[in-house]
Amino acid sequence: MGFTFRHVEVFWAVMTSGTTTAAAEMLRTSQPTISRELSRFEKLSQLTLFKRSGGKLIPTEHGLMLFDEVQRSYLGLERIGNAVEALRHFRYGQIAVACLPAFSTTLLPRASQHFCSKFPGMSINVTPLESPALQESLAKQRYHLGLTEEPIIPSGTKIEPLLTMDEVCVLPPGHRLCEKETLTPQDFLGVDFVSLAAGDPYRKKIDNIFRENDVERRVVVETHSAAAVCATVRLGVGAAIVNPLTALKYAKMGLQIRRFSHSVPYSVNLVTPLFRPDSLGVEGFIEALHYSCQQISEELKAIMSI
């Protein structure tokens, strides 16, 4: 239509301030310039935006409707300006993390707390995903980093171990096996057992150990979730063997943790994309993950008196 952003700016200033004189002060120009540009805007837009009465400008219906639209645009520009300023001073940004569901309630809350204390202007978006959806999303570079159990490297990524510890035995408070520091397969003979679901890779490893030692447990509950296993054990339903991260979370609620005589390694692996640009925020979050893993390791050693 021929009008420019300057015409819109003048219109906005007049509507916001109420007079051409105040608008001129706002835009650091003269009152005649404001009046001229405003008239030019009305001519180019072919709209009557104001009624002139006794030296006053009264917005018309078209003027009010147009101002509503201009306001939305100005709010958008203000948000962009704020974002630019925040980025300049590193007060804005988001770390996108994809992980197995277990990590979203164990390791990541600790790491997020540590990270946010050092980078208060950043935010974290955590997306729990089951494999193979997790592997696929990491391969497509959708996230800044990922956390997996399997040492499988999705295409276009690199992987490094963050934490490796053995699976642990968990018992309800007061269980007779709590008297022992280390439990053997024989200790579980005839004991009610809460197990991960059939098909779970850790379930298969644990079942093999008991089979090799000719020990039969009474499996009373099966579930896909390690958190559900711990919650069930804590209520006295039975004993179990689970990953140390989930066990540590429930230890604060009274769950008892003991060492298992057979090693069943449990790993947390960090996956980072090869084709996303480096970010100081990502490096800071990785540091928070390492710090949190060290904390977890020390707490578990203290609980099990290693």
Side-chain angles (χ1 to χ4, degrees), residues 55-209:
K56 294 182 179 180
L57 294 177
I58 302 172
T60 63
E61 185 67 20
H62 283 164
L64 292 171
M65 293 172 65
L66 182 60
F67 182 61
D68 285 341
E69 192 63 39
V70 170
Q71 278 284 81
R72 283 192 285 270
S73 299
Y74 264 80
L75 286 173
L77 288 172
E78 185 178 4
R79 288 184 61 189
I80 293 171
N82 290 339
V84 168
E85 183 68 15
L87 285 169
R88 186 181 300 120
H89 294 91
F90 203 65
R91 297 195 309 269
Y92 177 85
Q94 186 176 80
I95 307 297
V97 183
C99 66
L100 292 171
F103 298 142
S104 68
T105 60
T106 54
L107 174 58
L108 282 172
R110 288 172 175 259
S112 297
Q113 180 186 40
H114 182 73
F115 176 78
C116 290
S117 69
K118 292 186 175 291
F119 299 93
M122 301 286 288
S123 63
I124 305 156
N125 182 288
V126 177
T127 303
L129 295 170
E130 296 284 2
S131 293
L134 175 59
Q135 304 287 342
E136 180 184 354
S137 294
L138 293 173
K140 291 182 177 179
Q141 317 286 299
R142 292 176 180 168
Y143 298 90
H144 291 103
L145 55 89
L147 296 175
T148 68
E149 292 177 354
E150 307 90 348
I152 300 171
I153 307 176
S155 61
T157 69
K158 60 181 178 180
I159 190 170
E160 67 169 289
L162 280 176
L163 178 69
T164 299
M165 301 186 76
D166 283 331
E167 296 259 305
V168 296
C169 305
V170 290
L171 304 164
H175 193 281
R176 63 177 179 81
L177 293 179
C178 289
E179 297 178 357
K180 304 189 67 173
E181 291 185 1
T182 301
L183 302 182
T184 67
Q186 287 72 26
D187 289 322
F188 289 90
L189 181 64
V191 170
D192 289 347
F193 198 85
V194 181
S195 179
L196 291 167
D200 183 278
Y202 292 99
R203 161 74 182 266
K204 293 179 180 178
K205 293 177 183 178
I206 292 166
D207 283 353
N208 285 337
I209 291 172

Side-chain angles (χ1 to χ4, degrees), residues 1 7 14 68 77 90 114 118 126 150 153-154 156 163 189 221 223 228 232 234 237 263 278 280 286:
M1 291 185 179
H7 294 120
V14 171
D68 285 341
L77 288 172
F90 203 65
H114 182 73
K118 292 186 175 291
V126 177
E150 307 90 348
I153 307 176
L163 178 69
L189 181 64
V221 176
T223 175
T232 305
R234 189 176 69 88
V237 176
S263 176
D278 292 335
L280 179 61
I286 291 174

Side-chain angles (χ1 to χ4, degrees), residues 14 18-20 34-35 38 50-59:
V14 171
T19 66
T20 54
I34 293 294
S35 296
L38 192 61
F50 296 93
K51 290 182 178 179
R52 278 74 174 173
S53 176
K56 294 182 179 180
L57 294 177
I58 302 172

